[in-house]
Amino acid sequence: MATFKCNFESKKFMKELERDIKKSVESDLKKHPEKILNDHVGETISATCSSCGNVKVVVLRGGGVRCPKCGHTAKVNLVPDWR
Ligand SMILES: [Zn+2]
């Protein structure tokens, strides 16, 4: 029996795996921001209202936000903060 050792760079695999996971999480968040946002309904978050420029908006059920100043509602673009 012969043993042939072939080298695999596990770091490279891990990096590719990590990139794939991040990609899939990011596209999932884009499609279903409500998955995260429904846990934060009623909370005030930092985002700029595109209508009046207010920098605080309130999270709504269903993946949107509402500006408490002018009542403008918008969809949220979730950006994961990887650490
Ligand atoms: Zn506003």
Side-chain angles (χ1 to χ4, degrees):
M1 189 151 127
T3 304
F4 178 72
K5 279 191 186 167
C6 49
N7 293 318
F8 279 103
E9 247 191 89
S10 65
K11 268 188 190 159
K12 195 178 151 227
F13 280 110
M14 295 304 281
K15 256 193 187 152
E16 280 174 8
L17 191 65
E18 193 183 320
R19 203 186 53 209
D20 285 351
I21 292 172
K22 284 183 177 176
K23 242 190 213 165
S24 92
V25 169
E26 276 165 16
S27 79
D28 195 44
L29 286 182
K30 220 168 239 174
K31 278 184 212 152
H32 304 287
E34 69 275 8
K35 271 193 199 169
I36 304 271
L37 289 169
N38 279 352
D39 292 336
H40 300 277
V41 172
E43 284 179 29
T44 303
I45 59 168
S46 296
T48 307
C49 170
S50 59
S51 178
C52 73
N54 191 22
V55 291
K56 294 264 186 245
V57 293
V58 179
V59 178
L60 299 175
R61 185 158 289 283
V65 290
R66 191 175 61 86
C67 172
K69 239 183 180 175
C70 70
H72 177 77
T73 55
K75 276 273 170 194
V76 175
N77 184 22
L78 279 187
V79 181
D81 185 13
W82 298 110
R83 52 186 91 196

